Amino acid sequence: METKQPRQKGRRQEREARILSAAEKVFAEAGFGGATMQLIADMAGLPKANLHYYFPTKEALYRQVVENIFQIWLRAADVFDSATGPAEGIAAYIDAKMELSRAYPAGSKVWASEVMHGAPVIQDYLETTLAEWTEGRMEVIQRWIDEGRMDPINPRHLLYMLWATTQHYADFGHQIETLNNGAPLDDAGWTEAKRAIKQIILTGVGVEIPPET
Amino acid sequence: METKQPRQKGRRQEREARILSAAEKVFAEAGFGGATMQLIADMAGLPKANLHYYFPTKEALYRQVVENIFQIWLRAADVFDSATGPAEGIAAYIDAKMELSRAYPAGSKVWASEVMHGAPVIQDYLETTLAEWTEGRMEVIQRWIDEGRMDPINPRHLLYMLWATTQHYADFGHQIETLNNGAPLDDAGWTEAKRAIKQIILTGVGVEIPPET
DNA sequence: GTCTATACACTGATAGAC
DNA sequence: GTCTATCAGTGTATAGAC
């Protein structure tokens, strides 16, 4: 019994993870309205009705997907705080967010779709967690400006630019792929993208570009 | 009869325009899958079945909406060509695209959604018109670089950054509104956004910021 | 040309056997 | 815990009266 209980829990967690992974892909490709429980079930490899055992409703499943993405997304901000200055901080944040765009393109799309549709399930997070996070980072940037370590730019719009640019490589990945002769960016392509972005933005805020990590 | 024919044509065009406008909003808010013909009909102020008289299928209506947006979107590029140099060209393009984001937020969202879902109806435009447009602008930028009028940056990723940043203000308008204490950007807010973006990007590519127009 | 009524397919969700 | 069978509701699209 003591060996069975953990094994079943592991089994449940494993299934939930597989469902969430499938749901993320389907929601990203079809949107909330276009996604069907049938498609998610097929991709997760279990009967449709089984989904309703793990997640009572389509909306509950969707909510879980969006919340998971939001957590991963926020965690990328850690590099900002541990930075010693604007060059390292902004460069590390660009690198971190670009790697997230590459690793979780579906998640980024679900997030974008959720916000574009008026954030019906995540509005409270925007008003609390995200608002606080944004205020905190704006203060950090403003301090760097006040200390003369970077040009006096508008911290809020700098953050928007960082979000927009990095997430673009996930959300508009299909367009980028098409303009890259139909092939997704390879290692060199991603490295060059990160380099180009850091060059323009870091130069744009008046700091030296730190050496490659 | 000669007075009736044009009047009816005008009536038809007026109805089609109202349907397209309503469809743009509904598709933007709910996505293709979440949008219903009923909702579009209600917003356009006519019976649902009437929609199928003007547009045979939901997909045909959607396709028309997306193509209209693409045309408007491309037209903003004109300012790029008539520019005398990188500072004026890039600044004018940022201004133009930001004004489009403000004027047609729903259109921008429909476009973003279409691309995010793999461009099911607009793929051919991406491969032809957009690819050609992109190549052409990259050549213009490369020429400016070769002439020593701006820093040697990667033209492709500069274009992506311009698209990402300007469209972000439409596509993520809800998030920006939430972080602006729930209020949409006012005239001053949009002006400041444009100014901040131009400051960072123009400085980032090594050109002087032109005086406000 | 316009609208009412309806056909037909599909969706999310559940009941109930195993 | 898991799956089969099924329901109630809603969606697109159309037929046919006006």
Side-chain angles (χ1 to χ4, degrees), chain A residues 11-12 47 49-50 53-54:
Chain A
R11 184 176 157 83
R12 182 184 183 99
N50 213 323
Y53 172 71
Y54 291 101

Side-chain angles (χ1 to χ4, degrees), chain B residues 15-201:
Chain B
R15 287 226 168 164
E16 284 186 356
R18 212 169 58 228
I19 292 170
L20 284 168
S21 171
E24 188 180 274
K25 284 198 191 77
V26 174
F27 283 134
E29 283 169 16
F32 179 81
T36 68
M37 296 295 267
Q38 185 66 65
L39 235 90
I40 296 170
D42 291 348
M43 190 169 291
L46 40 80
K48 184 178 65 160
N50 213 322
L51 256 63
H52 286 97
Y53 172 71
Y54 292 101
F55 298 92
T57 65
K58 183 185 178 182
E59 196 183 315
L61 174 55
Y62 174 75
R63 178 182 290 270
Q64 192 63 55
V65 169
V66 173
E67 285 178 2
N68 286 354
I69 293 157
F70 186 64
Q71 292 307 325
I72 292 173
W73 199 84
L74 263 188
R75 219 170 301 148
D78 293 348
V79 295
F80 220 113
D81 302 310
S82 52
T84 59
E88 295 79 12
I90 296 170
Y93 188 53
I94 290 171
D95 283 335
K97 290 228 53 229
M98 286 294 278
E99 273 148 32
L100 284 186
S101 280
R102 189 179 189 183
Y104 307 100
S108 183
K109 285 175 193 169
V110 173
W111 173 260
S113 193
E114 162 70 7
V115 173
M116 283 203 317
H117 297 0
V121 317
I122 206 81
Q123 179 64 24
D124 49 337
Y125 284 88
L126 293 188
E127 292 173 2
T128 57
T129 317
L130 183 64
E132 288 158 19
W133 185 92
T134 306
E135 287 300 323
R137 291 342 134 193
M138 281 172 60
E139 283 170 20
V140 172
I141 295 169
Q142 190 59 52
R143 197 176 313 131
W144 286 335
I145 293 172
D146 294 340
E147 293 169 358
R149 303 175 75 183
M150 58 186 286
D151 288 349
I153 49 86
N154 185 309
R156 180 180 298 279
H157 293 293
L158 170 59
L159 285 177
Y160 292 167
M161 186 181 292
L162 291 169
W163 294 344
T165 302
T166 53
Q167 287 164 222
H168 181 82
Y169 285 81
D171 302 341
F172 286 74
H174 177 80
Q175 179 174 289
I176 289 172
E177 194 173 316
T178 299
L179 295 177
N180 191 39
N181 298 315
L185 293 186
D186 55 14
D187 285 344
W190 279 94
T191 302
E192 170 61 12
K194 289 195 281 189
R195 197 203 55 73
I197 294 167
K198 285 185 280 187
Q199 179 189 349
I200 297 175
I201 293 187

